Amino acid sequence: MGKHDQTEINNKPKKKKRRKSKARRIAEDIIILCLAVIVVVSGWKVYTIYNQYHSMRNIYNEIAEIAMPQGFTGDIDFDALREINPDIVGWIYYESTNINYPIVQGDDNDYYLHITFEGTWAIAGTLFVDAITEAPFRQFNTIVYGHHMQDGSMFGDFGKLKDTDYCKEHPQLELITPEGKYHLRICAFLNQPSDSAVYTTNFYQRDDMQNYIDFLKSCSEYVTSEEMTPDDRLVILSTCAYEYQDARYMVIAKMIPW
């Protein structure tokens, strides 16, 4: 390469680096700031949810220790529970799940949605019997509500019962009331809307009870070998489902004395 050629190369105009406009730099800074805020807020929400779940578990573990210091044996200290909350009407336990909770009955169906058994605010609230129930667990049917928590607490584990094999392996829950001890034998599993006729209670006529049983069977996802009759006492355990808007899982069980 000659000197002349080298001179031409050296004299070639150099490409100038494009400078970002001030407006573009500001826009990028804003985007980065927004992303950072989203990360921080999302992290805070995750932490808050985790902390709520952790607090709820601690609260109900402490209540369980008060109610049954030796673990679940069927003996519940209702006197001790009444000192904490006089609305107590029962205790429910389901082996191999998180379900091991007191059940209350309030003056309406709103209060215990987000109030714990000991009276503090929490997203998971307390399991509660429908407020209009005249004689909880002593009449033909009793409806019990509980949240479907994502960590499986409260009635969150009822999603497992969509699988009939799981139901066969875990066919009953336990219910202890001040009046007695009962097995809750699962009769059916339902997925119904929140305005379903399943949420009817306080029956007085035998024909109405039989019609209710027929309706339960007709809209069940599945039924078990456990028969239901007007002479039985049924417990309807209800929680949220997410297949469609306002869906509800319902576990239908009948009370069998120990």
Side-chain angles (χ1 to χ4, degrees), residues 91-94 99 103 127-129 137 141-147 154-155 158 161 172-175 184-191 198-199 212 216 234-240 248-254:
W91 191 280
I92 191 169
Y93 174 78
Y94 193 13
I99 298 173
I103 302 174
L127 304 183
F128 63 92
V129 169
F137 308 117
N141 75 333
T142 300
I143 302 168
V144 181
Y145 300 96
H147 284 295
M154 307 313 286
F155 280 167
F158 278 159
L161 284 168
Q172 72 180 28
L173 300 86
E174 309 300 335
L175 173 69
L184 292 181
R185 299 275 176 79
I186 297 175
C187 302
F189 180 83
L190 285 66
N191 185 341
V198 175
Y199 293 111
Y212 181 78
L216 292 178
L234 304 180
V235 178
I236 291 80
L237 305 168
S238 171
T239 192
C240 291
R248 299 290 185 269
Y249 289 147
M250 302 176 193
V251 178
I252 314 300
K254 67 178 181 181

Side-chain angles (χ1 to χ4, degrees), residues 109-123:
N109 286 344
D110 294 324
Y111 180 75
Y112 281 110
L113 282 173
H114 302 301
I115 296 296
T116 67
F117 184 77
E118 60 181 17
T120 56
W121 189 95
I123 191 67

